Amino acid sequence: MEQLQLARQVAIGLGGAITSNDVGFITCFSSTDTAQSYTDYVNEDLEELTAEQQERCVVVVTIESLM
């Protein structure tokens, strides 16, 4: 869960608005470029999490929750 907290903090630092749920969160940014960069960061650097971009928003969940 440390990585989930880190991902939240990075999203907030980038100006993302957070909507949390039990296994992750959704964050929306002011641009699709920021959302894409954030998605790349989560998928490449945080092995316990996965992220999927949908326009300016990103859905971040724990990989464990998908199994």
Side-chain angles (χ1 to χ4, degrees), residues 3 5 13 17 27 38 46 50 56 59 62:
Q3 288 190 0
Q5 291 293 58
T27 183
Y38 181 74
L46 303 176
T50 187
R56 295 183 311 107
V59 177
T62 60

Side-chain angles (χ1 to χ4, degrees), residues 32-58:
T32 56
D33 289 340
T34 303
Q36 182 61 57
S37 295
Y38 181 74
T39 301
D40 292 344
Y41 161 72
V42 170
N43 288 331
E44 293 171 7
D45 295 342
L46 303 176
E47 62 273 346
E48 295 176 14
L49 306 177
T50 187
E52 181 178 323
Q53 180 183 355
Q54 297 174 348
E55 296 185 25
R56 295 183 311 107
C57 296
V58 180

Side-chain angles (χ1 to χ4, degrees), residues 16-32:
I18 302 287
T19 302
S20 295
N21 63 37
D22 291 340
V23 296
F25 60 92
I26 298 169
T27 183
C28 295
F29 299 99
S30 61
S31 74
T32 56

Side-chain angles (χ1 to χ4, degrees), residues 1-9 46 48-49:
M1 289 301 196
E2 270 183 42
Q3 288 190 0
L4 193 58
Q5 291 293 58
L6 175 60
R8 276 191 181 102
Q9 290 176 353
L46 303 176
E48 295 176 14
L49 306 177

